[in-house]
Amino acid sequence: MTLRGERELTARVGHLLLGARREFSCAAGDLETWSMPGMRARIVKDRPLTVRKLFDARLLADEEGRRHLDEAARRGALVRISTTGLPYETIIVDGLLAVLAGPPGPGERSYTVVRSPDVVANVNALFLTAWNAAADLAEFRRSAPPILDQESLRVLSMLGSGRKDESAARELGLSLRTYRRRVAALMKALGADSRFEAGLRARDLG
C-alpha cells in the first residue's frame, strides 16, 4: 500500500504505529522525511519498547541534527551512527510492519507500507546489518573526527587564508559577532588551542 503525504500516512496506519509493543526501529539519512513529532512522541510514550534509531553521520554536522540525536538518546532510544550513508527513512514496528519513505520531490512524499511477513523480515534483516555495523552515538563522538558543514568549511578556509575577521565575515555574509562565534565553536570542535592549530587540524581532516 502506497500513501501520499504524512497526513494520509497517519490517518491510514497511525493506529498500527501506535500499536507498537516490543520494538520500534528507524533508519534515516536526514530529519526531513517524517516531521510529525507529535506522532513520534505518542508511539514511544509510556511503553516498555526497545527503540533503535540509526542515523547518517551527516546529521552531526549541524546543531539541529546534534540536538535531535541527543534528545532521542536522552529519552531512552538506542542511537547509532552510520558512516556508509543511509537512504530515505525506514520504520519497522515489532518485526510485523515496515514503512518505507520515497525520495523527496515536488508534491507530497510517498510512503510504502508493507505487512508481508517475508518482505518485512528482509527489511528488518537489512536494518540489523546496518545497525550492527554502526557505532553507538557516544562512542562515535569520542572516536570520529568532527563532521563539518559547508559554512564551517568556509570559515576554516577564511582562517587558513589569514583574512582579518571583518573581511572574512563580510565575504561570508555573517555579522562579525556570528563569525567569531563560529570560529570559537570550530576551535572547540577541532580541539585546537589557537586559530593556527585549527587551520592545521582542518587541513589534516581534508
Side-chain angles (χ1 to χ4, degrees), residues 26-30 54-58 80-82 84-88 130:
C26 169
D30 58 54
L54 178 64
F55 292 106
D56 194 295
R58 290 172 297 178
R80 291 193 178 184
I81 304 299
S82 171
T84 58
L86 294 172
Y88 315 114

Side-chain angles (χ1 to χ4, degrees), residues 159-179:
L159 286 177
S161 69
R163 295 282 191 90
K164 298 287 188 181
D165 286 0
E166 293 80 359
S167 172
R170 186 165 51 250
E171 182 165 337
L172 295 173
L174 301 173
S175 70
L176 181 59
R177 184 175 182 179
T178 297
Y179 175 78

